[in-house]
Amino acid sequence: MFSCVRWFQPFLALLSSTLLTWGYNCPSSCLCPDHHTVDCTGQGLTRLPDSIPLDVRRLLLSNNWIPWIPSDFLVLYSDLVYLDLRNNSLTRLEPGTLTTSSRLVYLDLGSNNLTEIPSGTFGESRSLIKLRLGNNPYLNMVSKDAFAGLTSLRELELERNALSGLDVEVLSQLPSLRVIRLEGNPWLCNCNFAKLFLWLLENRHKLPTGLDGMECSLPGDGRQVSLSVLSEDSFRECRGLLTLTDYLIVIFSGICISVAAIIASFFLASTIHCFQRLKSKRTDEEEAED
Ligand SMILES: *[C@@H]1O[C@H](CO)[C@@H](O)[C@H](O)[C@H]1NC(C)=O
Ligand SMILES: *[C@@H]1O[C@H](CO)[C@@H](O)[C@H](O)[C@H]1NC(C)=O
């Protein structure tokens, strides 16, 4: 029995290595320098290549014309750690493309045609460390919760997009953030910018180009100034100024309180009425007994 296994061993080894080779297809027009890397850089691809091995860890797809990736992509390729989609034609990302279970550490979506980053785009991808979103010339909206849950994110690139403003919560929600690139956007130095400016003052060490590298246009004459010439005082007329959302919150809470008060008094009145009726009924009964 034992000798039999020994006799079979080389045969088994040969069989399993053949199976491994068979199981490992490299997509046509891509290179696979090692068992975990698929490199399809600059192949003129207009969609994701077929037959990417399921255990791929590094997928290089930059300099192609890929317009979208399916939302279950990272469910399928759950070992993926490094995904480079730089310089493609992506216009949007399906919500839920990245999930909590994703192992993705590096994601490059720079130089695409993204227009907005809605909330929930990246799920709660806790492994993600570097996210590159720069050079998307139509990207003018980053929703407040766009990066919520990216607890490991250390580097975020949003440079050279079309952002004129950014809710400061987008950045203050990122506990591990070390580097943030925001230069080259058409920032508007109005009162909405004030909160972001204060955050940038406190976190200027996270800006690779410093405050000098960022410019914004003044609301009056549209003149471009470097953020380094501005100070907290530049926004002093914004102090005490409520934004539209603040107004809406105040109005809405006013309405809620009034409704609650009306409901409460209604209940109180009904309860009192009820007790009174109960009492008078009892008195009637007592009188009848007498
Ligand atoms: C982007 O991709 C196109 C198509 O492959 C290529 O011609 C161009 O040089 C690339 N741009 C950059 C900046 O790499
Ligand atoms: C990018 O989007 C804009 C409008 O959103 C469109 O005009 C342009 O053709 C798109 N470019 C590419 C390369 O898809």
Side-chain angles (χ1 to χ4, degrees), residues 216-232:
C216 67
S217 50
L218 299 177
D221 49 9
R223 199 157 45 93
Q224 292 274 326
V225 294
S226 160
L227 289 199
S228 57
V229 306
L230 300 176
S231 68
E232 211 173 313

Side-chain angles (χ1 to χ4, degrees), residues 42 44 63-65 87:
N63 301 353
N64 285 296
W65 308 101
N87 191 20

Side-chain angles (χ1 to χ4, degrees), residues 66 85-90 109-114 134-137:
I66 298 167
L85 278 159
R86 194 168 192 80
N87 191 20
N88 273 280
S89 312
L90 298 172
L109 298 168
S111 301
N112 272 280
N113 216 4
L114 300 173
N135 294 292
N136 280 276

Side-chain angles (χ1 to χ4, degrees), residues 40-166:
C40 316
T41 305
Q43 295 300 316
L45 300 176
T46 51
R47 60 190 183 87
L48 290 169
D50 295 322
S51 63
I52 303 170
L54 285 173
D55 58 355
V56 65
R57 292 196 195 147
R58 282 165 57 88
L59 183 53
L60 313 176
L61 291 163
S62 60
N63 301 353
N64 285 296
W65 308 101
I66 298 167
W68 75 288
I69 50 173
S71 62
D72 60 356
F73 188 68
L74 289 171
V75 178
L76 213 56
Y77 297 99
S78 55
D79 287 341
L80 208 56
V81 170
Y82 187 104
L83 178 57
D84 185 356
L85 278 159
R86 194 168 192 80
N87 191 20
N88 273 280
S89 312
L90 298 172
T91 51
R92 57 179 258 119
L93 273 188
E94 308 293 327
T97 303
L98 274 81
T99 59
T100 314
S101 60
S102 148
R103 301 215 177 114
L104 209 60
V105 166
Y106 178 97
L107 178 59
D108 193 343
L109 298 168
S111 301
N112 272 280
N113 216 4
L114 300 173
T115 54
E116 65 169 319
I117 311 292
S119 39
T121 303
F122 301 103
E124 295 203 343
S125 190
R126 295 187 219 283
S127 310
L128 199 62
I129 290 179
K130 184 158 181 169
L131 178 58
R132 310 186 72 180
L133 290 165
N135 294 292
N136 280 276
Y138 302 95
L139 179 54
N140 59 12
M141 176 64 204
V142 174
S143 137
K144 197 173 71 177
D145 299 323
F147 307 124
L150 300 185
T151 48
S152 306
L153 195 70
R154 292 174 67 94
E155 289 188 45
L156 176 61
E157 293 187 357
L158 285 166
E159 81 282 9
R160 281 183 280 283
N161 292 325
L163 297 169
S164 58
L166 183 68

Side-chain angles (χ1 to χ4, degrees), residues 136-196:
N136 280 276
Y138 302 95
L139 179 54
N140 59 12
M141 176 64 204
V142 174
S143 137
K144 197 173 71 177
D145 299 323
F147 307 124
L150 300 185
T151 48
S152 306
L153 195 70
R154 292 174 67 94
E155 289 188 45
L156 176 61
E157 293 187 357
L158 285 166
E159 81 282 9
R160 281 183 280 283
N161 292 325
L163 297 169
S164 58
L166 183 68
D167 195 315
V168 71
E169 273 192 53
V170 168
L171 305 177
S172 56
Q173 280 173 355
L174 296 169
S176 309
L177 194 67
R178 298 287 174 277
V179 178
I180 169 85
R181 293 190 62 179
L182 294 168
E183 74 277 10
N185 280 285
W187 299 112
L188 198 58
C189 281
N190 54 15
C191 284
N192 286 335
F193 194 78
K195 280 185 192 164
L196 180 63

